[in-house]
Amino acid sequence: MSQYLRSRLVMNLVFKPVTTPFVHVGMGARLEQGLLEVLKVGVVGGGTAYVIPSHSIKGVLRRISEYVAKASATSKELEHALIRAHCEVENESIRHVCSSDDDIRIIKDYVDSVLKNRAFARKFIPEDSIDEVSSRFKEGGIREVAEAEPIVTIECPICRLYGGNGLGGKVYIRDIVVKNGRVAVISRTSIERATGKVREGALFSVEALVIPKFELTIVVDDLEPKTTEAYIIAGTLEWLTCIGLGIGGMRSSGIGHYLLDPKESRGYIIDYGNISNKEFIKALANPVDYVKEHGVSVEDLIEKLRGCG
């Protein structure tokens, strides 16, 4: 991965509700007088704004991209093995252990080769721990030695996009801030799973933001067309167009389900090495406005990412 920013994919994606235009992003486990409130912040100068935090959306996008990646093919043996092995392990961070023995063998061979190159290995593991990790790795492999994860994380396309063990990702998402928003109150109750009946004393109300449409800004640094990461982003855009995005809580009750509108959405890959100085400053200082001026449709962007446009 380069230490210099060479290009930047910027997407202004417009989403519209599949059914009801309600979103509930709550304030943790707060339940004040039988009411679950939505997340809100004070605004300088007075007033209130409602917020859908970027991390609540990024987690959903990551999961979609994982599905897309695992259903896709790549010609690179190590990437293919890491994508198949990529998973969340309970009480741990992202690991690369959930696949067949063949994939684990490919991963083990790569880690072994890195650990033999001490100068390279110390980029991922403290130098005074290399010998210990190498010894344990020979006996247990990647499934038993979590300390070796940083070595393979940088080779995993999903982790390169969204971040992983010791690695920051390429994908950045802006918070969605709704000013002067309208809030609806929905009455809910709980079901006793054992009996299938309404739980006694469990009636409560939920605040939900009324959002007929929202715009999501996503930035991906140094995304080269025709790479595995580019194919994953292209597939993720198709997923958002056809299946949609679920945000907030209580999605099983039908709220928070939105589809990407490809007609109103725009995206553009800014190549900082091939634009004039004037355009460079505009694109670097305010990439979102630059894309609104130069952006292409989602369909054309998908083709571009796949190297067809």
Side-chain angles (χ1 to χ4, degrees):
M1 298 175 73
S2 173
Q3 60 180 316
Y4 302 106
L5 179 63
R6 296 164 298 178
S7 65
R8 175 171 274 166
L9 166 63
V10 183
M11 297 178 285
N12 296 322
L13 305 180
V14 175
F15 288 84
K16 295 180 179 178
V18 175
T19 53
T20 54
F22 296 156
V23 176
H24 174 78
V25 176
M27 303 174 68
R30 271 181 72 178
L31 183 57
E32 301 289 347
Q33 298 179 344
L35 176 66
L36 281 173
E37 298 179 329
V38 293
L39 181 61
K40 56 179 77 74
V41 295
V43 178
V44 176
T48 299
Y50 302 97
V51 180
I52 302 175
S54 60
H55 61 79
S56 68
I57 300 172
K58 189 174 182 179
V60 178
L61 284 178
R62 179 177 192 136
R63 183 54 55 88
I64 292 171
S65 291
E66 288 172 354
Y67 292 145
V68 170
K70 288 177 182 290
S72 305
T74 172
S75 59
K76 297 180 179 179
E77 184 181 57
L78 179 60
E79 283 189 349
H80 185 65
L82 288 169
I83 287 171
R84 287 164 60 93
H86 178 104
C87 62
E88 286 187 46
V89 177
E90 189 174 359
N91 299 322
E92 295 188 60
S93 59
I94 296 293
R95 296 290 308 278
H96 297 88
V97 296
C98 302
S99 192
S100 67
D101 289 341
D102 287 340
D103 289 332
I104 298 302
R105 176 187 52 77
I106 292 169
I107 296 169
K108 183 180 186 300
D109 289 347
Y110 175 73
V111 175
D112 278 335
S113 69
V114 171
L115 290 173
K116 289 175 183 176
N117 184 343
R118 197 175 191 89
F120 188 49
R122 66 187 182 191
K123 293 182 178 181
F124 310 102
I125 299 172
E127 188 164 15
D128 58 0
S129 300
I130 292 176
D131 291 337
E132 180 203 348
V133 171
S134 297
S135 176
R136 290 170 51 217
F137 191 82
K138 287 178 182 177
E139 296 180 7
I142 194 69
R143 286 182 171 136
E144 302 298 328
V145 186
E147 293 91 335
E149 278 289 341
I151 295 174
V152 297
T153 294
I154 197 169
E155 299 296 331
C156 173
I158 302 170
C159 291
R160 286 200 295 262
L161 283 171
Y162 292 97
N165 200 320
L167 179 69
K170 296 181 177 184
V171 175
Y172 303 91
I173 301 174
R174 286 188 172 184
D175 293 337
I176 299 172
V177 180
V178 182
K179 297 179 180 178
N180 304 316
R182 187 163 65 89
V183 174
V185 177
I186 305 169
S187 295
R188 299 298 308 274
T189 190
S190 296
I191 301 297
E192 195 72 61
R193 294 188 183 276
T195 64
K197 297 180 180 180
V198 174
R199 183 177 297 164
E200 290 292 331
L203 180 66
F204 62 98
S205 298
V206 178
E207 286 187 341
L209 276 174
V210 181
I211 308 180
K213 178 173 77 172
F214 69 85
E215 185 174 304
L216 179 64
T217 299
I218 302 176
V219 175
V220 189
D221 284 345
D222 286 325
L223 185 70
E224 297 292 329
K226 298 179 70 173
T227 59
T228 304
E229 293 102 303
Y231 290 132
I232 292 172
I233 292 297
T236 300
L237 288 171
E238 289 181 329
W239 180 297
L240 295 174
T241 302
C242 300
I243 300 176
L245 174 72
I247 57 175
M250 305 189 180
R251 295 195 299 272
S252 61
S253 63
I255 69 174
H257 187 194
Y258 285 73
L259 280 176
L260 172 64
D261 186 335
K263 295 181 179 179
E264 293 192 31
S265 302
R266 312 294 284 175
Y268 192 73
I269 300 175
I270 305 170
D271 184 350
Y272 290 110
N274 288 308
I275 55 178
S276 67
N277 289 341
K278 182 179 179 181
E279 292 296 302
F280 178 91
I281 293 171
K282 287 171 59 179
L284 192 62
N286 200 331
V288 175
D289 285 348
Y290 189 84
V291 167
K292 287 180 179 178
E293 181 179 347
H294 299 277
V296 300
S297 68
V298 168
E299 292 92 339
D300 288 343
L301 181 60
I302 290 172
E303 293 294 301
K304 176 74 173 177
L305 290 170
R306 289 176 171 155
C308 304

